Structures are given as C-alpha cells and as structure tokens.
Amino acid sequence: MMIPLAVPNLTGREKEYLNNCIDTTYVSSVGEYVTRLENMVAEETESRYAVATSSGTTGLHAMLTAVGVKAGELVIVPTFTFIASANAVAHCGATPWLMDISTDDWCMDVSIVRRELERNCTVQGSRVIHNATGRRVAAIMPVYTLGNIPDMEAFRAIAAEYHLPLVVDAACAIGATHRGENFGRLADASVISFNGNKTITCGGGGMVVGNDEELMSRIRHLTTTARVGAEYDFDIVGFNYRMTNIQAAVGCAQMERLKEFVDRKREIRRFYASGLGNLKDAGISFFPETSGSSCWFSGIVLQKDRSLEDVRRLSAKLREQGIESRTFWKPVHLQKPYGDAPHSLTGVAESLWDRIVTLPCSTGITDEELKCVVTIVREEIVGGR
Ligand SMILES: *Cc1c(COP(=O)(O)O)cnc(C)c1O
C-alpha cells in the first residue's frame, strides 16, 4: 500500500453526473455541465466571464493569442514553472523571456521584471522593444506557483506603465486569494487547469477567467473554431479547444467540494510545517505559503549543500516505506527547447529546484497517513545524517 503523491478525490457526485451525460447523450462539447462549470468557476473566482477549455495549456495558448502575442515576439514568464507556461508562448511562435523568482513565494520576482524593462528595453511609441534581440515584448505572464499569489498590484503598475497585457498562469491556484481579492481583478485574464493532479480535476481541462468583455469573447471565439453564425462560416484561424460535457460533469461535482478540498490542502501544508518543523535545525525548509494561498502542493526543501541526487535518494527510501514523493519543476532555461531563450536570472531558481521534495498531498489523505509520512520523513532525514 502506497500513500500516493497527489491523486484525484472522486467521492462526490461525479458518477451521477457522468451517468447523466450518457443517459442524455450529451457527451461532447455542448451540454449543461459546461455552462454550469463556467458559471461556478466565474463565481468562485469573482470573474465576470469564464471560458472552459480542453486543458490548461490550450487555455494559455488561446489567452496569449487573444491578447495579441505574435510570432517572433517575447513574453515575460518565470523560469521556475511547469513547462506548459513556456510551451504556450512557443505555440504562438513567440519566445519566453525567462525571469528568476523570489524566495518568498517562488513566483516571478517583480523587481527583476521592472529592472529588465527599465534597463534592457526601449519604448518606441506603444511598443516595448527588447534591446538585445530587437523583439517586441508582447505580454507579462506571472505564474501562481503552488497557489501563491505574488504582489499583483506591483505587476499591474508595471503592465500599465509599459502598456503591456498582464495575464496569469493560475493553473494550480484555484481557491487562492490575494489580500481578500480573487482572480477577477488581479489581471486581464487568468488560466486554471483541471488536470488530474490539480486541486479540482475534470480528468483534463482548463478555464480562462477575466472581467474584460471584449477580451473574453475573443477567447471564446478562438477556442470554439472562430465560427460565425449557424453555418460553416469562420472569420479567423481558430482552435478546437473546447471542453466536453463529460469533462465538465466531473468538474461540476468537484467544484461542489472546492472549499473542503482547499481547506484540506491548507491543513496538509500546516501539518507538515508543524510535524517536521524541528527539521529546520538541520537546514530543511518548507514550501512557502502566502496569505490566501491555495497550497496546491506541499513538501520540504533540503539543506543548501544538497542536490538532486539527495532528493532522489530520499524519495527512493520513502518509496520503500510506502510513501510516494518526487522532485519538482526543473527551471525552463535548463530545458532543451528553451536553452537559447533570453533569461534574466539571479540564481534563486537554480539553487532551489534540485533540493525540493514534494510529499503526499491528496485531498483524500487521512490524518493517520499524514502522521505516518511525518514520522518516516523525520526518521529518514535525522537517521540518515
Ligand atoms: C498543470 C499546469 C499547467 C498545465 O495545465 P494542463 O491542464 O496540464 O495543460 C500549466 N502551468 C502550470 C503552472 C501548471 O501547474
């Protein structure tokens, strides 16, 4: 018996809603659950509009396309993220400009973004040009790492000053708030993922949320093949990025339990921080939690002199004792497809990522299992010294 890292919790009305899809034959990209899920997510994120998509990645691609990201341009993104953030930029024919992160929240460091725009870019009319490459900077896209929301007021101020769209990869952040505010007003648009390891899952799926009517209707148009009217007329090159009613049926049942799930995620993080708190003496630290964080994943960061080999060794030992754990995101600038992408690094992501150990954090984990993880991790780390 393994205690898994992060598995879906499907003990609500998922089966009932899925059966309803089959019984009514509404299994495809039209159906009551798609609309219902959009309404639920819009309400939850305090956003006026929500557009369901086939995945988080396709939602990101549609959102970036809709704010005008074009081939040959640059999009400012953090290097410490899941590779899909960079891939969505590349799908537009653009290139990610990779920025380092802050140690406080593991999100893109707003002071680096400001400094880079000031020092290494030129404003030509309404265009921001990156001096070294001559490319236009087309957008800023922070990532809500672990469900931590960074200083969005500061990002909004920079975006306004440079007339750049501010969009967010909020893939793992459903349930997070920032100074009492939800996603709606924090950026021009944000994308949530419903992949299997996220807090809320549809099996796979995504959702773009935002308040700008024109932008959000462009996103809906793009994701639904850009059809105009009831016949076979299309006005731009669109995408088939629709969510199916089957995916949405699962999502609706999941959303009914959002508060319970996020509460549990936060409890799990606190449980590890208190249960393993004494490991701080050994130089171990914990995943950062901003106020309002949705605490998507939890785990520990090994001592400064440790590396990936130590993470792998610890994971192997935990596995022997029935506990699944893993490494975490490898920075984008170290990935093969993005080795040549422009980057502005301070060393934070590089010195952090290879010491991260994610620990079991499924919403269905029991207190007994959490205690078991704490006991065994402590034994392995203290005993292994
Ligand atoms: C999960 C995730 C994605 C990708 O979402 P998919 O639904 O799997 O396409 C993108 N960015 C981040 C930060 C993620 O955690």
Side-chain angles (χ1 to χ4, degrees), residues 55-57 60 81-82 84-85 143 169 171-172 193 195 198 205 296 329:
S55 73
T57 308
L60 290 170
T81 182
F82 182 59
S85 320
V143 176
D169 179 344
C172 51
S193 162
N195 183 39
K198 300 303 201 279
W296 170 51
W329 297 337

Side-chain angles (χ1 to χ4, degrees), residues 2-23:
M2 282 294 269
I3 303 176
L5 184 68
V7 289
N9 183 342
L10 302 166
T11 50
R13 300 178 74 180
E14 288 81 1
K15 222 178 253 180
E16 177 192 333
Y17 293 170
L18 282 171
N19 276 333
N20 189 41
C21 291
I22 310 274
D23 292 343

Side-chain angles (χ1 to χ4, degrees), residues 85-239:
S85 320
N87 287 347
V89 174
H91 294 331
C92 298
T95 302
W97 181 3
L98 304 164
M99 305 273 166
D100 221 312
I101 53 164
S102 153
T103 49
D104 300 339
D105 51 19
W106 295 1
C107 294
M108 184 155 68
D109 189 330
V110 69
S111 64
I112 299 175
V113 175
R114 176 173 286 286
R115 189 196 63 198
E116 290 301 311
L117 284 167
E118 278 170 4
R119 289 195 196 159
N120 294 321
C121 293
T122 308
V123 177
Q124 296 176 359
S126 63
R127 296 162 63 86
V128 180
I129 304 296
H130 178 236
N131 297 337
T133 59
R135 293 171 179 231
R136 184 179 87 103
V137 178
I140 304 176
M141 185 169 78
V143 176
Y144 294 162
T145 311
L146 305 173
N148 291 342
I149 299 186
D151 184 354
M152 290 303 286
E153 287 77 14
F155 275 113
R156 275 209 304 278
I158 295 175
E161 185 181 335
Y162 287 88
H163 303 286
L164 291 171
L166 176 66
V167 291
V168 178
D169 179 344
C172 51
I174 192 156
T177 59
H178 174 66
R179 297 177 187 156
E181 275 196 88
N182 214 313
F183 295 1
R185 295 197 317 128
L186 299 177
D188 299 332
S190 310
V191 172
I192 296 162
S193 162
F194 299 120
N195 183 39
N197 68 358
K198 300 303 201 279
T199 304
I200 294 286
T201 188
C202 294
M207 187 81 70
V208 191
V209 297
N211 280 344
D212 182 327
E213 183 175 4
E214 206 237 296
L215 173 62
M216 294 304 293
S217 62
R218 208 174 324 142
I219 290 171
R220 185 173 294 285
H221 191 56
L222 273 172
T223 54
T224 54
T225 67
R227 188 175 190 138
V228 282
E231 296 179 351
Y232 285 91
D233 286 310
F234 309 86
D235 62 352
I236 50 173
V237 179
F239 310 115

Side-chain angles (χ1 to χ4, degrees), residues 8-14 44 174-175 199-200 252-270 293-295 361-367:
N9 183 342
L10 302 166
T11 50
R13 300 178 74 180
E14 288 81 1
E44 165 56 35
I174 192 156
T199 304
I200 294 286
C252 286
Q254 292 270 293
M255 281 299 289
E256 289 170 2
R257 301 176 69 191
L258 177 65
K259 188 180 178 311
E260 174 198 337
F261 283 2
V262 174
D263 284 350
R264 188 62 179 154
K265 287 282 190 184
R266 290 173 174 156
E267 276 170 18
I268 292 165
R269 192 207 165 273
R270 253 163 253 147
S293 174
S294 58
C295 299
C361 56
S362 310
T363 56
I365 197 168
T366 64
D367 287 352

